[in-house]
Amino acid sequence: MVDIEIVREWIAKADEDFEFARLNFEEGKPFFGQICFHFQQAVEKYLKSYIIANELEFLKIHDLPLLLKICLSKDPSFDQLNENCEFLTTFYVDTRYPVHWPTHFSPEETKKAFKSAERIRSFVKDKLSFARE
C-alpha cells in the first residue's frame, strides 16, 4: 500500500528545486547552468513521486527518459513528455562537472528548461490529484 505522505515529501522536495530555479531565473541571476540543473532535479523528483505513488519499479538513477519509461508502463499519456525529458536530462552531467564538449547555458536555454520543467510539473501533479494543493 502506498504511503501518501512519502509521495507528498517527494513532491515537496521537487517543488523546492523548481521554486529555487524559477526564482533565480525570474530574478535574472546569471547562473544558468545551476538553474537548469535544479529544473532537471525537480523533474527527476516529480517523476519519482509518480513512480512511488503507483508502486512502480524505483531506480536510483538520474536519467529522465528512463524514469519516464517507467511512468509510461502505467500511463501511456506520459509519452507527450518525452522531448522535455530528453532536453532536461543533459543538465544533470553538463552542469555539474567540467565537460569537453560545447554547452549552452544561455538565458534562452534556461527559459526552455523552465518551460519543460513547468510542463512536467503540471502534468504529474494533475495525475496525482492530491499533489495539486
Side-chain angles (χ1 to χ4, degrees):
M1 189 161 141
V2 175
D3 184 340
I4 297 300
E5 287 309 309
I6 291 174
V7 178
R8 284 190 171 136
E9 288 174 12
W10 276 88
I11 293 286
K13 285 305 237 182
D15 284 343
E16 285 178 15
D17 281 324
F18 182 84
E19 289 301 318
F20 177 83
R22 183 187 65 77
L23 288 171
N24 277 283
F25 176 63
E26 289 178 352
E27 289 177 6
K29 303 292 185 197
F31 307 113
F32 304 121
Q34 293 82 0
I35 292 168
C36 289
F37 171 74
H38 281 281
F39 283 132
Q40 182 278 339
Q41 285 290 284
V43 167
E44 181 181 323
K45 291 174 183 115
Y46 289 126
L47 294 175
K48 286 180 178 179
S49 68
Y50 181 84
I51 289 168
I52 293 166
N54 289 280
E55 298 180 305
L56 302 173
E57 181 182 15
F58 185 91
L59 301 175
K60 293 181 180 180
I61 60 170
H62 309 287
D63 183 335
L64 300 182
L66 186 51
L67 292 170
L68 184 66
K69 187 176 179 181
I70 295 168
C71 296
L72 276 163
S73 71
K74 172 75 175 171
D75 183 342
S77 70
F78 272 83
D79 188 54
Q80 64 187 281
L81 304 176
N82 190 50
E83 187 177 314
N84 301 111
C85 286
E86 289 284 344
F87 174 71
L88 287 167
T89 206
T90 62
F91 295 117
Y92 182 73
V93 171
D94 290 2
T95 59
R96 296 184 65 211
Y97 305 104
V99 293
H100 301 284
W101 54 81
T103 56
H104 306 285
F105 305 129
S106 66
E108 295 77 26
E109 287 292 296
T110 306
K111 183 176 184 176
K112 185 176 176 183
F114 169 50
K115 294 297 181 187
S116 293
E118 187 174 50
R119 179 172 187 225
I120 295 167
R121 176 183 193 239
S122 294
F123 185 89
V124 171
K125 284 187 167 193
D126 282 347
K127 293 292 179 180
L128 301 174
S129 58
F130 61 86
R132 282 187 249 149
E133 303 165 355

